Structures are given as C-alpha cells and as structure tokens.
Amino acid sequence: MMISNKALPRRTFLRGLGATMALPFLDSMVPASRAFAAAKAPVRLGYMYTPNGIVGASTASPRPNMWTPKNVGENFDFSPTMKALEPYRDHLNVLSNMAQVNGRALGDGGGDHARATSTFLTGVHPFKTGGADFHLGISADQIAAKELGKYTQLSSLEIGLEAQALAGNCDSGYTCAYMSMSWRGPTSPLPPEINPRIVFERLFGDGDSTDAASRMARLENQKSVLDYVTGSLTRLQGSIGAGDKRKLDEYLEAVRDIERRIQLAEQQNLTIQLPTMERPSSIPDDYAQYAKLMLDMQVVAWHRHDPRDRIHAGPRRQQPRVSRDRHFGWPSLDLAPSGRC
Amino acid sequence: MPTVKKLLRHLSTWLLMAGVAAAVSTHGRLLAQAPASTNVQSPAPSKAPVAAPARAQTPAKSPALTKPQPPPAEYAKLTTTYCVSCHSDKLKTAGLSLEGLELADVPAHAQIWEKVARKMRTGEMPPPTVRLRPDAATERGFGSFLESSIDYAASVQPNPGRTPVHRLNRAEYSNAVRDVLAVDVHPGEWLPIDDSGYGFDNIAAVLSTSPALLDRYMSAAGKVSRLAVGDLAMKPADEIYESKRDPVKGSRNEQLNDNLPFDSRAGMTVEHYFPVDGEYVLKIRFNGVAAGTEEALIDPYQIRIPMKAGLQTIGVTSPRQNLKVESEGPGGGRAGGGGGRGGAAPQVPTPVDLRLNGARLKRFDVVGGAEINRLIITGPYNVTGRGDTASRKKIFICRPVSQAQESGCARTILTSLAHRAFRRPVTPADIQPLMVFYQKGRTPGDFDSGIQRAIQAMLVSPDFLFRFERDPAASAKGAPAPAHRVTDVELASRLSFFLWSTIPDDELLGLAEKGTLSDPAVLDRQVRRMLDDARADTLVTNFAGQWLNLRSVETQKPDPVIFPFDEALRQAFMKETELFVSSIFREDRSMLDLLSADYTFLNERLAEHYGIPRVYGSQFRRVTLTDANRHGLLGQGSLLTVTSYPNRTSVVQRGKWILENLLGTPPPPPPPNVDTTLKPGPDGKPLTMRETMQLHRANPVCASCHGRMDPLGFALENFDGVGRWRDQDAGVNIDASGKLPDGTEFQGPAGLSNLLLTKYRDDFVGTATEKLLTYALGRGVEYYDYPAVRAIDREAARDHYRVSSVILAIVRSTPFQMRKGSDS
C-alpha cells in the first residue's frame, strides 16, 4: 500500500503556497485511510477561459452591464448574458476589478491576445519572442496539480475548443506557445487537447464506455502487463552493470507509478458510480454540441474524483467562432461573443 | 626577452582571453597558425606504415604500431619553455596546469596531452599573439609524438568506452514495430519528444523513461497490436487529416506529389491505415464552409465505400488548369459550367477527384471554392473481416486447424515474433509469460485475439524497448572487469541501429547467431549490403538531418514582405538537401563532396529562386551547377535560410553553423548582458552588414570569438536571408571577403568552400567522423576515443574519404566492436 496515513496539515499547505488567504478544506487534508470512506464530496478545481473580452464587461462598453452586474452585494441582479446561471445564485460569486497588470503591454508593443492567455493563470509577463526561447512561469493549476495530483490518477487535464500550435508566430511577435494557459514550468507549456475522443481515451483508456465492468477489465489488463514487465526487469537486473541498473530502475519507477494509480482507480471504482457515456468518435460539427460534449466529459472526470484540477479553454483565436442560430439571438453563456478590446 | 611591462600587458590580455577560453570546448581546432600548407597530417617518423587491416583473430585492434622512441631531448623542455608561463600550478589558465608533467609516460595523462596536441595542431595554442613559440616543424613533431604514444598505448590496452543501456527513441520504435509486425503507422509519433544530447536524439545516457512515456507505450502497444492483427470489435472512429495550406499564397498550378496524376493540381494525399475490412465514409471539407451551416451538417462531398484493411493512399485533387501559368486561388474556369446556386454571379463548379491508390473513386463538382480544408475518414462500419494485410501474413506463420493445435501454433508464432522483437535467441522463460497473455485473450475471444493480447504485452517488454549488452561472467573478485568484445548478436543490433535505425533483419541476425558476423569478410559484405538497402535512408534523415541542423527548415518563418518565400519553396529546400545528401551516401561519394559537389537537385520553383534558367516542372532532377558559388551545402537554400533571421541575413549565425557543424569548434555563448541589437547608422542611413558588425572587430573581447566567426559569415553575404544571390546590400556592392586572425584570406562562397576543403580538410573530415561515431555509439566521443578517430581518418583517407570507407572504418573500430568492463 503506497498511500500514507499522514494527513496534510492545513498550515503546511498554506505555507507551501506562500498564500495568506483562507483555503477551502481540501480532500488532501483528510487522512488517506478515511478519505475513501468519507461521504463528503471532494473539492474540485477548474479554470474556464474565454478570450478577448466579453461585451458589457466594463462601464465604458457601448452596452454596459450586459455582462458585469450593475450592483454588488448578496442580491445583485444577474446581467442578461449571465442570466442562465441565476438558479445557482446561492453557489457562486462574481468578482470584478481583477485586471492582470502583467497582461498589459508594459512597453512590449502589440500582442494583447497572446499576453492575455499566457498571464491568465501565471501572472507573469511573457518574454516577447517568436522563437523557441519563450519564457513564462508555472501556472496556478499546475501548482495545485503538483500537490493534489498525488492522490488522483490524472493530476490535471487541459482541454480546449480550438487547436493550438506550439511553434510559429501567433500574435504580433509572440510565439504560439504563449497561447497555452497551463504551464508546468517557465519553459513547459501544456497545450490543450481538443479532440473529445482523445480526452476520453486519456480518462478511460481504450475502453468504449465508462461502465464499471469495462473499466475494471481495462485496469486488470494493465496490471497484468505491468506484472510481466516487472518480471522481465527483475530477470535482467542480474546480468547488467551498476550504471545500467540505474537506467532500468528508472523504468521500474515508472511501472510502480502507474501501478499506484491503478490501485487508486480500483478502489475508487468500488465506490463511485459514473454517468454512462460512450466514447465520442470525433469533434462534433456543431459548435454548441462540441462545447457541451467537452463540458460533459469534465463532469464525468470530476465524478471520478480526478483530476481535481481542470482547465477548459474556450476558443482562442482573435475571432472565435460563435454558433449562430437562425434567430441570431443572444448566444448562451459559454459562447459569449467577443468584443474587440 | 620581453620586458616586465610587456609581460604584464600580455598577461592581462591572456587572463581576459582565458576567461573566455575557459568556456571553449576541448575540441578547438580552428586557426592553424602555419600558413596554408599541405593538409595531410604528417605522420610521426617513428610510426610504421599502416598494416593490412582486419586480422581474423582480433579484428578490433588497430593495425600494428611500433613502439614510439623515447622523446627527443628538445621535447622535454618544450612545455616548460612555451606553456607553463600561463599553464602553471599557480595560474592554472583555463583550468590547465602543465607544470611538472613529464613526457616519460604520456599515455598516463592522455586526457591532458590530447588537449595539448589538438590545440597545437590547430595553432590555437600558443595564442596567435604570442611571439615566443616553437617553430612549425617542432610543433608538428611534438604533436605527432604525443599522438603516436597515445595511439600505441591504446592499441595495446584499448579503452572502448561504455554506452549505458540504450532505450529505443521514437524513430527507432516506429521502425522496429514496422519490421516486427509489418505495420507502418509511425507509432513513435504518439510518444513524447526525446531529449537530445551532443546534437542527436539517440544518445543512451539522455534517453530516460518516465511514467508518462510508459503510459504512452502501453496505449501504443494496444493500438498497434489491434491494427496488426485486426480487431473485429472495433468501433467507428474519425480520423481527421488537415491539408497543408500555404497561408500566404494559394496552391500552385502543378502536381502536388508522385501519388497524384501528372495532370492534377494541388490537393492532398494521405496514407491511411484501414484497420479492418468494412465500410468507411470519406468526407472532404472545403474552405469557406462554416461549421454550423446547412452545408456542414449535410456534408455533400462524401462517399461510403467498402475498403480492404491495410495501408492505402487516399488523394483529393483537381485536374490541372493548363491555361493558368502559376499559382492562383482555385475555382472557376471550366467552360460551359452551369449556373451555381443563387447569387448575382453564376458560380461555376470545380471538379474535385477522390482517389484511392491513384485510381479515381469519385468526382465531385464543388461549388464556391475548391480549396481543400480537410479529409475525414470514419469507420469501420459493418465490419466484414480482419482482412488480409501484410501484418497478418507476417504474424500468422501457421494456422491451427483444430482446437488441439492452437496452443502449439500460438507458441510457434510467439517464438518467431519475440525472436525478432528481442533481437536474440529466445528461451522458454521469454515465451511462457507471453503464452499466459495468449490464454487471457483466447478465452473470451478467438485464436487471433489471443495472439493480439500477447503482442500487446511483448511491445512493452524491456527486452523490446531497450538494447542490452551483457557483461561477461565476473572475473576475479575485486579486479576491474576487462574490456571485452561485444557478442555477435549484440554487434548485429549495433549495426542495424546505426545504419538502419531499426532491428536487424533475418539475414543479419541469422549470421550473428551462427557466430560468423564478426568474421571480417562477412562483416564487410554485410555493411555494404546494408548501405545499399533502402533502409539506409535513415542515415540521411536521422544522421545528416540532425548533424547539419536541417530539421529547423520546417519551422523557419521568413518575412513574406521582404522575401518571396512560400510553402512550395520550403518544401523544395528540404527536398533539395535531402536528395543531395542522399546522393552522396547512395553513390558512395567522398564526404568532401558535401562541400564541393558541382551538382544539385532542382525543380522549377527552386531553379527560379536560384536564378538558374531552363528548368521546368515540379519534378526534382539533377542539375549541373556552372557557378562555383552554388556548389555544395553552402550554396543551398535550406542551410542559408536556417542561418538567417526572418528579415535579414546573420553573419554570426552562419559563421557559428560552420564552426559547429563542419569544423567541430563551436564558439562559446556570448557573455551575459551583451546588447545584441543592431544599431542603425549615425545619420539614420542603412548600413551594410559589414559596417554594422564593426563593433565585433573593434572590441578585443568580442573579437576573440567573433574574429573567427564573422569572416566565415561575410563570405556568404551574397546570399540573402532565403538563399537568393544578390550583389548589393543597402545600396552598396557586397564585400564578400573574409580574413581570419591568422591572416588567411578568402573571397566569396567559392573561396570559403575551397578554404574548408584545403586548409581545414582534416578538421572537416575529423568532425564528420566524430559526429558519425557519436551517432553510431549512442554516446559522446571522449578523449579515449581519439586514437580510434585518428585510425578511422587514416583508413578513410586512403580511399578519398568515401562514405562507405568511413562507415566501414567505424564499424571495424575499437569502440564499435568492444565495450569497457563495468566499474563495479
């Protein structure tokens, strides 16, 4: 059993993050042996992003208060674009005046779109370059993933609705790498996965659906392959030199890591009911359908207790696609139209 | 005798340069101080002529060298007189002290003496500015004495070095899967990018394993095994292929590639692996069709057809419009076309053909723009069978006719596959666990699904993913393990991964298992056979592509406003260099031809670009170059673009490329906090490149490195940022002369090539050998390999440095055939 019984003291976590604000009670603070028996639902962390601004976000907008509520306080009026969320009033907060200073030009000239995306979760002003020497910083979701990911099969999941290159010039001299919101380190962007089939496969492997039997079978399969690999490695260790042993130890470590996650998954399988979902075959043509599919998968992933940490990025081009229905009415929340800043 | 003042001044300069020189690599070789003399490395007089190569018993030993004579008296004081003033215990310039180092036992300090010999040979040491130095003959003699002493000791007690356990990289993984299972789907591309070392991505010490990688290996094994065997339970999935579009210009009015008919125009081709026999839907999407519109939902341009399993080529293209000269957007032009849908102007439909392996499946009449956006293949529907693919033929070497026969047949199949995959004879201990997987898959399914499960496990086995070389049985306790020859089976893998980036084929492995591979005559024949084989193309794509840093052409982005650059030109650059390097290897030319060849491969687009007349059509063909400035690699657009900025040439980058890749003397990085932006002229007038770089010459700290980089780049200034010839820069005629710190002068690209081929020929050949050896061994070349490098160069020189002679010499060398014992 690799799971330790040590619970994470709240103060340690706070100190580690250098944060001074109160944090929600995270599941990692419950001793492991009790965690799975706990009836309390674990807390999830997710970031959703739509680019390039939203109509009615500021009072200077030609349509003020389309987005930003007019008043503050407990009984604020939901703005027209946000109306769909009104039933959940008791579960949400709307916070304003959180402009990111490092997203401004600060003397670098053009490139607002790239700066916006890259500073959203990092708070770091990106180094302006179109080449391979990009430099940013670790993003908030990855800081959380490093810690919370110890207890889940997948530490984090980055998905998006528009493809993103890792090289090339994407916005006035900024490389396309800056279109990633999620960064594992200053030079390691994590591009989002946009194909729902591949997201499904990352979550559920080669299985065709999320039902319990199929999941268990897949885990069994993986375990037996790993046992075979461990057996082969043990036999090999006998006939190679010390320096070579280290390389094989690396491989063995990787095996153990995956075995641990399988163990976690098996235990979770016993306690969790997942909504049934078939493996999607590809990206739906209809944009609204596509967005809904990706959001549904997020929900299923969270049902599975993992990953705690998720990023969902809306379209990120300069002119994102908007689904037009015949009446050309106001599109729903997750397809809020972009305004030019 | 220098005065104290002079000495102090010299000292301060040297200390400054030493600070910079400290970062210079130990392989420094440029700046021969002797005037351009004959270029052959003068062998030391005491060396015997090279004996006939390859004796049967110990082919790994270099030819007999006579024991060197004791050092002449003049050498004994050489270092004390000329070197120790800086390289003393007290000063330790560049971290090196030669004080008290006797010549009685040169091999004992081989690492230091090799450095000394190298620096002396190139004239880098003593520094060119120093007046007190030995004469040229003494310098040469001393260098030869050092090298021959070390070479003799190496022949008696070789140090072949030791490559750690070597994981297959992505390319090798793809090729190994292709050769074990006959499935060519490039599964390596599903794996994370490999780290590189020494400029190559096949360096054992750098290739690590992470949980993420293992995860991908496991999922790749599942996918590949299902494709290879065929999975009747496969559910339909989409595969989307996007067409490579030129964002700036449209597609050209010419055939895209050889998979499409000669009279076609543009379009796209894909090689798609159809997993099983069944029905598939092929959909074509065009630009200008917005998602969510009626058209997207109906998808009018599609067909549903039954397909056979296996790799097929799907092409989408239009017939060529012969009246149009060159690239223009598609659409319109078909005489007699009917009116289109609505709108004021009648839309003329464009014919678009969907082709399977060249033959036309269907012709669509596309209205409103026929620029292809993507091809989507969905399926399989209504699976009819596993198919009769090449992989199934290769895997199922027997077929059980009854239940009783199944287990035996499975064992036969798995033994054959494991033998090939593990690259060695297999034992029951190898097969037994695979049989367990076979049972696991057989029980709920059938014979084929059992085999599929076993293959899935085999592809994750460390015996497949790693190359192991075993130490011989432990010798006396406590004694360090001796250097030993690798076994024939291990040698077969070294050969096939070096020359083919894949597993040994049946012939090679067979000879190895019989124990005859190490026979010199057999080895010779096998190497030549392998070089003739199509698989040796990996030497061009993997070795040369990385050595010459040509993979970067893919991602260069020259400014389209300043330069006439487009995708067709990019592809042409890559193709030209690929064909060129390939011709050198395939025609077994001399390595020197890489710089001196008077031909290249051009198509119309590229010929236009270079200003070469009378080359028509999109096919590449060999063209003789009359202008000496275009000869060889230095005249090719790929290299010239990769070493430029998007909006201008870079003298420094070109010089650095030559130093790094051709001469093996990479310059150190610039000191921190150096302002590298270019300043405009005093009154805003644009400056020529030479004028702009003048600070490099004026400031001695800059000049210490730029003095050897910039002149090389200046010689290429006639080639602009995308390789076009130009005579003027900023309104002034270009001055393409170069002068090195030791006084050597040259003019233009032809002059530069000539310089590299004469004065620096040994450096070029030596660098090429070291790079090849690094690639062949999977580890960096160290000081104890230099005797082998020298031996290889001597052997290759006798055959004018032909590619095959260099490669054969490498294969016969000590580090390739032997391995150092383990340290513990």
Side-chain angles (χ1 to χ4, degrees):
Chain A
M1 266 290 260
M2 294 266 301
I3 301 171
S4 81
N5 233 346
K6 230 164 42 135
L8 204 57
R10 216 157 163 226
R11 295 270 168 264
T12 314
F13 194 31
L14 286 173
R15 259 204 296 273
L17 282 185
T20 53
M21 46 189 219
L23 287 169
F25 181 67
L26 290 174
D27 199 51
S28 57
M29 297 168 189
V30 177
S33 57
R34 288 194 294 149
F36 294 114
K40 192 171 152 59
V43 180
R44 321 292 198 245
L45 180 61
Y47 296 94
M48 247 180 89
Y49 177 79
T50 60
N52 307 336
I54 298 188
V55 171
S58 82
T59 47
S61 157
R63 290 180 179 282
N65 305 124
M66 272 285 303
W67 171 249
T68 310
K70 249 195 291 249
N71 43 6
V72 296
E74 236 180 83
N75 295 313
F76 67 96
D77 292 324
F78 273 88
S79 58
T81 312
M82 239 194 263
K83 208 73 173 161
L85 290 178
E86 190 153 17
Y88 308 101
R89 175 192 282 277
D90 292 336
H91 298 275
L92 60 80
N93 284 326
V94 179
L95 307 171
S96 296
N97 294 330
M98 294 181 70
Q100 173 58 264
V101 170
N102 275 326
R104 302 213 166 111
L106 302 181
D108 275 347
D112 290 325
H113 303 104
R115 279 192 289 267
T117 328
S118 50
T119 52
F120 171 49
L121 290 176
T122 61
V124 173
H125 187 76
F127 170 63
K128 184 163 189 173
T129 175
D133 53 340
F134 49 80
H135 195 97
L136 197 63
I138 189 173
S139 54
D141 63 304
Q142 290 304 308
I143 295 179
K146 272 195 182 152
E147 184 52 47
L148 305 177
K150 292 186 193 141
Y151 307 101
T152 56
Q153 285 175 60
L154 273 179
S155 59
S156 74
L157 187 60
E158 299 77 39
I159 64 184
L161 295 177
E162 217 162 283
Q164 184 220 311
L166 269 179
N169 194 322
C170 264
D171 186 22
S172 316
Y174 284 96
T175 167
C176 291
Y178 286 129
M179 297 316 226
S180 278
M181 293 180 342
S182 188
W183 288 67
R184 207 185 312 127
T187 50
S188 315
L190 295 172
E193 183 51 63
I194 59 155
N195 190 329
R197 174 165 60 95
I198 298 187
V199 175
F200 189 94
E201 282 173 5
R202 272 195 76 186
L203 293 171
F204 302 109
D206 316 323
D208 286 324
S209 106
T210 58
D211 70 84
S214 155
R215 274 185 283 140
M216 285 306 277
R218 193 185 130 250
L219 292 172
E220 255 318 301
N221 198 351
Q222 280 189 314
K223 264 199 343 192
S224 55
V225 170
L226 291 176
D227 283 340
Y228 163 61
V229 170
T230 314
S232 301
L233 281 172
T234 318
R235 268 190 306 136
L236 281 164
Q237 295 278 24
S239 58
I240 55 174
D244 298 341
K245 280 196 172 70
R246 274 191 287 277
K247 275 265 165 223
L248 287 193
D249 280 343
E250 230 175 38
Y251 196 53
L252 206 52
E253 259 315 300
V255 171
R256 300 250 181 276
D257 196 279
I258 298 190
E259 281 179 339
R260 186 183 58 78
R261 289 169 199 260
I262 291 178
Q263 224 168 22
L264 266 176
E266 282 180 330
Q267 284 174 326
Q268 289 172 352
N269 268 348
L270 298 172
T271 52
I272 304 169
Q273 282 288 67
L274 282 186
T276 310
M277 189 177 172
E278 287 291 312
R279 173 161 61 105
S281 65
S282 183
I283 298 179
D285 293 321
D286 183 66
Y287 192 64
Q289 254 185 47
Y290 177 28
K292 183 168 191 316
L293 176 60
M294 292 299 247
L295 289 165
D296 282 347
M297 283 210 284
Q298 285 184 42
V299 170
V300 173
W302 271 334
H303 263 282
R304 206 177 67 161
H305 284 191
D306 83 324
R308 298 296 170 69
D309 185 17
R310 257 215 4 76
I311 278 213
H312 179 106
R316 68 184 74 247
R317 274 198 308 210
Q318 228 160 321
Q319 305 295 339
R321 290 186 298 172
V322 173
S323 153
R324 282 174 274 133
D325 66 6
R326 251 163 276 264
H327 313 291
F328 201 60
W330 303 122
S332 56
L333 170 67
D334 57 338
L335 302 170
S338 84
R340 301 209 66 156
C341 359
Chain B
M1 282 299 276
T3 63
V4 175
K5 221 165 140 195
K6 247 195 195 163
L7 195 66
L8 281 175
R9 201 184 336 129
H10 278 266
L11 201 61
S12 61
T13 322
W14 290 341
L15 283 173
L16 199 61
M17 286 171 62
V20 176
V24 172
S25 90
T26 58
H27 293 235
R29 273 201 266 197
L30 194 50
L31 304 183
Q33 202 236 348
S37 55
T38 56
N39 24 44
V40 178
Q41 274 178 344
S42 42
S46 54
K47 222 185 271 175
V50 172
R55 299 193 209 114
Q57 310 91 304
T58 50
K61 257 199 190 166
S62 36
L65 304 162
T66 56
K67 202 173 162 71
Q69 314 298 333
E74 53 190 295
Y75 293 160
K77 290 280 169 252
L78 212 139
T79 50
T80 323
T81 317
Y82 301 109
C83 313
V84 174
S85 45
C86 287
H87 294 291
S88 62
D89 284 340
K90 188 150 174 244
L91 285 175
K92 268 217 158 72
T93 313
L96 178 68
S97 169
L98 294 172
E99 197 170 332
L101 219 49
E102 295 298 325
L103 290 178
D105 191 5
V106 167
H109 300 277
Q111 188 162 12
I112 294 179
W113 289 122
E114 285 278 10
K115 266 195 228 176
V116 171
R118 281 197 162 209
K119 294 273 186 181
M120 283 183 64
R121 227 172 239 306
T122 62
E124 238 175 304
M125 285 288 138
T129 47
V130 168
R131 296 231 199 95
L132 184 67
R133 61 195 316 123
D135 63 81
T138 315
E139 266 192 43
R140 274 201 301 277
F142 185 58
S144 301
F145 162 71
L146 291 174
E147 286 173 352
S148 57
S149 311
I150 297 173
D151 284 353
Y152 179 75
S155 71
V156 166
Q157 193 170 34
N159 180 355
R162 192 179 167 96
T163 310
V165 161
H166 199 151
R167 196 200 90 209
L168 265 55
N169 70 13
R170 298 160 97 214
E172 293 164 347
Y173 179 78
S174 288
N175 293 340
V177 165
R178 177 199 67 201
D179 291 337
V180 172
L181 298 174
V183 168
D184 196 5
V185 288
H186 309 287
E189 286 166 17
W190 308 335
L191 305 174
I193 308 228
D194 296 312
D195 290 320
S196 300
Y198 305 102
F200 295 106
D201 62 4
N202 69 340
I203 302 298
V206 168
L207 289 169
S208 55
T209 321
S210 63
L213 178 60
L214 181 55
D215 204 33
R216 304 274 185 99
Y217 275 144
M218 287 172 68
S219 77
K223 283 199 194 111
V224 165
S225 57
R226 278 196 201 92
L227 287 177
V229 172
D231 182 6
L232 291 171
M234 192 165 272
K235 293 243 172 37
D238 279 3
E239 193 73 50
I240 304 178
Y241 295 100
E242 307 217 353
S243 86
K244 285 204 219 338
R245 293 190 297 291
D246 192 329
V248 178
K249 303 193 159 83
S251 36
R252 289 176 64 85
N253 190 24
E254 62 192 6
Q255 176 195 23
L256 183 73
N257 60 38
D258 285 333
N259 287 328
L260 293 172
F262 186 61
D263 64 341
S264 67
R265 181 182 79 67
M268 64 185 290
T269 56
V270 300
E271 284 194 347
H272 182 81
Y273 198 94
F274 290 90
V276 286
D277 288 348
E279 287 177 5
Y280 294 85
V281 174
L282 292 100
K283 272 186 259 200
I284 311 174
R285 292 261 177 81
F286 295 94
N287 275 345
V289 174
T293 60
E294 207 179 301
E295 231 178 272
L297 294 171
I298 297 176
D299 252 334
Y301 308 114
Q302 59 173 286
I303 56 170
R304 177 167 169 143
I305 47 166
M307 286 288 234
K308 291 254 157 247
L311 199 64
Q312 321 270 14
T313 307
I314 308 286
V316 186
T317 187
S318 299
R320 185 170 172 172
Q321 287 149 344
N322 290 307
L323 300 177
K324 288 209 157 73
V325 176
E326 173 299 299
S327 78
E328 270 170 44
R334 200 157 147 225
R341 300 196 212 153
Q347 299 252 32
V348 179
T350 316
V352 173
D353 290 337
L354 184 61
R355 293 179 177 271
L356 172 64
N357 296 332
R360 181 163 69 203
L361 277 178
K362 178 149 184 171
R363 167 164 283 188
F364 299 104
D365 286 317
V366 178
V367 180
E371 191 75 12
I372 296 157
N373 182 297
R374 58 183 57 175
L375 173 69
I376 304 174
I377 301 178
T378 317
Y381 300 101
N382 299 338
V383 177
T384 50
R386 289 196 163 101
D388 186 27
T389 56
S391 57
R392 284 179 60 78
K393 287 199 196 70
K394 189 151 189 160
I395 293 170
F396 292 99
I397 51 181
C398 67
R399 266 277 159 217
V401 280
S402 69
Q403 188 96 0
Q405 283 189 351
E406 280 187 359
S407 177
C409 182
R411 193 173 286 274
T412 308
I413 290 177
L414 293 177
T415 306
S416 154
L417 288 175
H419 177 211
R420 213 180 291 135
F422 298 171
R423 311 172 290 271
R424 56 170 175 76
V426 290
T427 63
D430 291 314
I431 305 300
Q432 194 44 42
L434 294 176
M435 285 302 288
V436 171
F437 280 104
Y438 158 74
Q439 282 303 335
K440 283 207 178 113
R442 169 75 187 87
T443 318
D446 59 3
F447 182 73
D448 287 23
S449 54
I451 296 292
Q452 181 259 315
R453 280 295 303 274
I455 293 178
Q456 184 172 351
M458 188 181 77
L459 292 177
V460 195
S461 162
D463 287 287
F464 173 64
L465 296 172
F466 290 85
R467 290 152 60 184
F468 289 101
E469 291 179 349
R470 290 187 173 51
D471 289 318
S475 52
K477 273 223 183 355
H484 53 273
R485 296 208 54 229
V486 299
T487 64
D488 275 19
V489 166
E490 291 166 356
L491 187 63
S493 273
R494 284 193 178 196
L495 270 174
S496 69
F497 281 101
F498 171 31
L499 300 178
W500 288 345
S501 295
T502 188
I503 59 175
D505 65 355
D506 292 338
E507 181 179 335
L508 193 65
L509 196 56
L511 288 169
E513 288 173 353
K514 276 205 291 268
T516 53
L517 185 60
S518 45
D519 179 279
V522 175
L523 189 58
D524 203 286
R525 260 202 308 278
Q526 285 302 306
V527 170
R528 289 187 195 279
R529 172 182 79 92
M530 292 172 84
L531 285 176
D532 275 340
D533 190 290
R535 280 168 284 195
D537 280 343
T538 55
L539 276 176
V540 176
T541 47
N542 291 344
F543 169 66
Q546 290 183 86
W547 169 34
L548 302 170
N549 199 13
L550 296 169
R551 288 181 176 178
S552 319
V553 185
E554 207 53 86
T555 52
Q556 288 292 110
K557 284 204 155 42
D559 190 331
V561 172
I562 302 177
F563 298 119
F565 191 79
D566 54 44
E567 280 312 306
L569 192 58
R570 185 201 302 281
Q571 298 299 323
F573 280 165
M574 288 165 60
K575 193 84 185 161
E576 177 196 13
T577 304
E578 192 190 303
L579 287 171
F580 177 72
V581 177
S582 192
S583 74
I584 307 279
F585 276 76
R586 290 245 161 255
E587 293 163 28
D588 203 12
R589 288 171 172 264
S590 163
M591 298 286 264
L592 301 175
D593 282 1
L594 285 168
L595 294 178
S596 66
D598 64 352
Y599 66 91
T600 187
F601 293 83
L602 302 174
N603 68 358
E604 184 175 344
R605 177 74 182 89
L606 195 52
E608 267 171 33
H609 186 76
Y610 289 159
I612 294 172
R614 287 189 301 279
V615 174
Y616 305 112
S618 62
Q619 306 281 69
F620 274 86
R621 80 296 309 270
R622 187 184 301 236
V623 173
T624 308
L625 295 166
T626 48
D627 180 5
N629 286 319
R630 279 280 175 199
H631 286 182
L633 282 171
L634 293 179
Q636 294 188 2
S638 56
L639 162 59
L640 296 165
T641 308
V642 155
T643 51
S644 299
Y645 290 117
N647 59 348
R648 63 173 176 86
T649 61
S650 170
V651 163
V652 173
Q653 279 201 51
R654 287 179 177 172
K656 177 166 174 276
W657 190 94
I658 293 173
L659 288 182
E660 225 164 48
N661 298 310
L662 300 183
L663 297 174
T665 58
N673 301 323
V674 160
D675 180 12
T676 54
T677 54
L678 297 184
K679 308 270 185 303
D683 43 357
K685 192 166 68 84
L687 295 176
T688 64
M689 192 55 65
R690 198 174 283 264
E691 286 165 342
T692 321
M693 296 277 135
Q694 86 93 20
L695 194 63
H696 288 173
R697 299 188 286 285
N699 183 330
V701 174
C702 306
S704 60
C705 295
H706 281 278
R708 50 188 188 116
M709 259 194 284
D710 291 8
L712 303 174
F714 282 132
L716 296 174
E717 266 294 281
N718 283 107
F719 292 126
D720 71 4
V722 286
R724 277 181 311 177
W725 182 269
R726 58 176 183 174
D727 289 307
Q728 296 210 330
D729 172 31
V732 173
N733 281 345
I734 287 177
D735 170 15
S737 63
K739 182 166 172 187
L740 293 174
D742 64 2
T744 320
E745 291 190 34
F746 48 93
Q747 179 80 20
L752 175 61
S753 280
N754 193 50
L755 179 74
L756 297 173
L757 286 166
T758 51
K759 188 161 182 200
Y760 297 114
R761 192 190 67 180
D762 290 343
D763 299 291
F764 172 57
V765 170
T767 305
T769 303
E770 279 186 31
K771 296 281 183 185
L772 254 177
L773 194 59
T774 303
Y775 180 79
L777 297 175
R779 64 172 174 83
V781 165
E782 303 286 340
Y783 74 91
Y784 46 79
D785 296 311
Y786 293 159
V789 173
R790 286 193 282 271
I792 292 166
D793 282 346
R794 276 196 298 272
E795 217 178 298
R798 287 183 292 135
D799 199 10
H800 306 288
Y801 306 108
R802 270 182 205 274
V803 171
S804 65
S805 58
V806 178
I807 290 183
L808 271 165
I810 287 178
V811 168
R812 292 186 200 124
S813 70
T814 305
F816 196 82
Q817 296 220 351
M818 297 180 70
R819 193 165 172 250
K820 193 168 112 176
S822 168
D823 283 333
S824 63

